[in-house]
Amino acid sequence: MRYHYLRFDIWICLLLSFLLSLGTEKISTTILQDKYKEHKQEHKVDVGQVGGIADENVFRAQSVEDLLNHDLFTVVSPGIEYRNKGAGYYKGFYMHALTLPSGEIVAARINSESVVSDSDSIYSGNSTLPVGKIIKEDLTKEKYFIEQIEYKEPLTRTDFYIDMVGDAAIKSEESFIEGPTIVLQFLTIIITFPIFHTIGSKLGIFPCFYQRKSKKQSDWE
């Protein structure tokens, strides 16, 4: 078996580029943390709007019939029961199997930032979910999603879901910061590696990648 080892100059240039990319990571993380605060602020919704906190003026739905007969509503759920059943990704966003007070189960996209508990512990008491509205959609078209969300119990209705997020949709801090940061680190390494090697070659520290043939050598060949 033949082994191929990278030359010492390549290792040194990769190390220098990697160290420089750590600086890029630190700077980009600091900038993106501030940008994330702006991102969250831009997606804040007022009380009473879809995805926002449901005050006492918002209708408390008890059943599917209530959902269908009201433009806006909320649902009161015991503790964190609303996120303890099936769940899955539908067209890129996460939805829970929400049990209504009537016992009927529907799919709901919930903004956790606007859930209000009437207890000091989220595991006890009641949780008032954000303001929601009905979105007509044939959920059965996404078979994998149905398998996920109906893992424990089947949905009562699959011809709609509840949108309790609306314009409050925000990316997680991790995905907002990590993705761009990794890309910037990678680009830093790709860009600076040849620069470091070129400088080292011109200083005579590293061998050149490509040796130019002299005219005499070319004539003999």
Side-chain angles (χ1 to χ4, degrees):
M1 183 182 289
R2 296 181 64 185
Y3 294 93
H4 298 278
Y5 298 96
L6 290 177
R7 291 184 343 209
F8 80 96
D9 54 312
I10 295 177
W11 280 115
I12 292 173
C13 291
L14 282 174
L15 177 61
L16 291 172
S17 295
F18 175 72
L19 292 174
L20 190 61
S21 76
L22 294 180
T24 303
E25 178 193 21
K26 188 172 183 180
I27 294 169
S28 62
T29 298
T30 302
I31 294 171
L32 288 170
Q33 282 175 339
D34 291 335
K35 289 292 181 184
Y36 185 70
K37 291 176 184 177
E38 294 176 14
H39 173 68
K40 288 181 70 175
Q41 194 65 37
E42 288 170 359
H43 288 79
K44 275 192 175 182
V45 293
D46 294 332
V47 172
Q49 292 185 346
V50 174
I53 293 173
D55 61 16
E56 64 280 357
N57 298 317
V58 179
F59 178 75
R60 268 61 175 163
Q62 302 291 313
S63 63
V64 167
E65 185 179 359
D66 285 345
L67 301 180
L68 296 173
N69 289 327
H70 291 80
D71 293 330
L72 298 177
F73 51 78
T74 186
V75 175
V76 178
S77 180
I80 58 170
E81 191 275 341
Y82 64 92
R83 64 186 190 192
N84 276 347
K85 295 203 172 180
Y89 282 95
Y90 181 79
K91 294 185 177 179
F93 47 80
Y94 199 60
M95 292 207 288
H96 294 276
L98 172 63
T99 302
L100 302 174
S102 63
E104 296 167 296
I105 303 174
V106 295
R109 187 182 176 209
I110 302 170
N111 176 22
S112 58
E113 297 289 327
S114 296
V115 176
V116 178
S117 176
D118 62 5
S119 171
D120 292 336
S121 172
I122 60 172
Y123 301 102
S124 60
N126 292 314
S127 296
T128 302
L129 303 186
V131 178
K133 66 178 180 180
I134 290 291
I135 302 292
K136 293 288 185 180
E137 196 90 41
D138 182 2
L139 303 179
T140 60
K141 288 182 178 179
E142 300 285 339
K143 292 184 180 180
Y144 183 61
F145 164 71
I146 290 295
E147 289 175 4
Q148 288 179 309
I149 201 165
E150 291 188 338
Y151 174 70
K152 290 187 176 180
E153 294 180 64
L155 297 174
T156 304
R157 296 283 291 266
T158 57
D159 58 334
F160 70 81
Y161 68 87
I162 301 175
D163 180 13
M164 290 181 165
V165 176
D167 293 333
I170 62 171
K171 294 181 180 179
S172 68
E173 186 171 7
E174 183 178 328
S175 63
F176 189 89
I177 293 174
E178 272 195 7
T181 298
I182 290 172
V183 171
L184 286 172
Q185 278 189 280
F186 180 74
L187 288 175
T188 299
I189 293 172
I190 293 297
I191 293 169
T192 60
F193 173 81
I195 294 174
F196 283 131
H197 198 278
T198 300
I199 292 171
S201 297
K202 288 185 176 181
L203 293 174
I205 301 172
F206 304 144
C208 294
F209 274 129
Y210 302 103
Q211 296 286 347
R212 287 188 175 183
K213 294 179 180 180
S214 66
K215 188 175 180 182
K216 188 176 289 187
Q217 284 179 310
S218 300
D219 290 340
W220 278 99
E221 293 177 1

